[in-house]
Amino acid sequence: MKICSSVGDMRAACRAARHGGKRLGFVPTMGALHGGHMSLVRTAEASCDIVAASIFVNPLQFGPKEDFARYPRSFDGDCALLEQQGVELLFAPSVDEMYPAGAITGVTVEGLSDKLDGRSRPGHFRGVTTVVAKLFHIVEPDAAFFGQKDAAQVAIIRRMAQDLNFAVEIVACPIVREADGLAMSSRNAYLDPLQRKQAVVLHRSLLRVRKLWDGGERGVAKLIAAGKEEIASEPSVRLDYFEVVDAGSLDPLKGSVDGGLVAVAAFVGATRLIDNIVLGA
């Protein structure tokens, strides 16, 4: 696996890799890799000739009181995992390489970036779309692979790619879960054993909504109330939001619906976790 730390080296390596019409897949990450990331790599390998990845903990998507400094970092282990999985190119830039002194340009997807996590974390999605736009320019992938766990992020990146005419297919891959249903996340490493058990309530709340839906319930208010009630059954878990929204626009749905994205975010101790399911898919 070739590891590039500069924009110029990664751009040159990717252009060489695509020579002859080869299809280049790209998996952007912040490291601390787990089974969810590996599923993205495997999906990319199944449809692409060459797979590139990135490891970059992006400071722009962390708020001033968030966990940038303590975000888990395991670069050597991550490299070993990616190489074992067959990734051929890895971009691992420094912060200064990605954001040179004096850089003032950002990318914002107006209207979508202040919904769900964007409402709870002001500026978060501007940081995400800025770094992803830069990565797309550097790597020039034919397809980029993202996890469905970050459903709002997928919707926003998909819209950005459409509006800015990026020649890249955005592929959303299914959520990968632990045996008890907890969605895999790098932030799960923050949880102590008790919090780890409590965190499963996010998945339980979604399963409860799914059960109601499968039983014929279509009223958004009742679905949300059931989900919130399940979260409340774990008193030490603090709900951030529980919503049913349109998966593309992220607008809240009301009344009786034929489908939608059910999204939840909650704090387990100091750790903020997210999860979701899609109804009517």
Side-chain angles (χ1 to χ4, degrees):
M1 183 174 69
K2 180 179 177 61
I3 302 175
C4 301
S5 59
S6 76
V7 169
D9 286 349
M10 186 63 178
R11 179 172 282 140
C14 290
R15 288 181 175 173
R18 295 178 69 216
H19 182 72
K22 290 183 178 179
R23 180 173 167 86
L24 176 62
F26 179 48
V27 180
T29 83
M30 293 207 301
L33 303 183
H34 50 68
H37 295 109
M38 292 302 101
S39 75
L40 302 182
V41 173
R42 288 192 294 272
T43 303
E45 288 179 330
S47 63
C48 299
D49 301 302
I50 296 170
V51 176
S54 63
I55 294 176
F56 179 64
V57 184
N58 176 32
L60 291 195
Q61 65 191 73
F62 290 80
K65 296 181 180 180
E66 294 185 335
D67 57 348
F68 174 73
R70 62 187 287 260
Y71 192 84
R73 292 164 170 85
S74 51
F75 185 73
D76 291 342
D78 290 345
C79 288
L81 284 173
L82 293 171
E83 191 162 26
Q84 289 167 12
Q85 192 60 55
V87 172
E88 297 183 42
L89 296 171
L90 175 64
F91 186 40
S94 66
V95 172
D96 289 341
E97 181 71 12
M98 286 299 285
Y99 303 117
I104 58 173
T105 301
V107 178
T108 302
V109 179
E110 298 288 351
L112 271 72
S113 294
D114 57 357
K115 297 173 181 175
L116 295 181
D117 296 295
R119 184 175 60 249
S120 302
R121 305 175 66 191
H124 167 69
F125 282 128
R126 184 178 191 274
V128 170
T129 45
T130 297
V131 77
V132 172
K134 289 170 73 71
L135 290 169
F136 283 176
H137 278 302
I138 295 162
V139 176
E140 297 181 319
D142 296 289
F145 298 80
F146 298 87
Q148 173 65 23
K149 180 176 72 69
D150 298 295
Q153 173 178 280
V154 171
I156 290 167
I157 289 173
R158 199 184 295 280
R159 184 57 184 265
M160 177 191 75
Q162 173 187 318
D163 288 355
L164 297 184
N165 303 113
F166 281 108
V168 57
E169 177 189 0
I170 306 301
V171 181
C173 301
I175 297 172
V176 178
R177 300 184 180 279
E178 304 286 357
D180 59 3
L182 181 67
M184 288 189 178
S185 169
S186 300
R187 287 187 168 90
N188 291 348
Y190 297 151
L191 304 173
D192 64 31
L194 177 59
Q195 291 169 339
R196 174 63 184 75
K197 292 180 181 179
Q198 295 167 339
V200 182
V201 75
L202 274 77
H203 185 50
R204 289 205 313 268
S205 72
L206 297 173
L207 290 180
R208 184 165 172 181
V209 169
R210 170 80 73 186
K211 185 176 180 179
L212 280 174
W213 174 268
D214 290 344
E217 180 59 64
R218 295 295 183 266
V220 170
K222 290 185 178 180
L223 295 172
I224 290 175
K228 288 183 174 180
E229 184 178 55
E230 189 65 35
I231 294 289
S233 72
E234 195 67 69
S236 30
V237 174
R238 179 167 57 91
L239 183 66
D240 182 357
Y241 64 73
F242 197 102
E243 295 190 33
V244 180
V245 303
D246 178 86
S249 69
L250 305 181
D251 288 332
L253 298 177
K254 299 178 181 180
S256 180
V257 295
D258 295 324
L261 174 73
V262 185
V264 59
F267 290 89
V268 183
T271 303
R272 186 178 181 279
L273 301 176
I274 60 174
D275 203 349
N276 66 82
I277 57 170
V278 178
L279 301 175

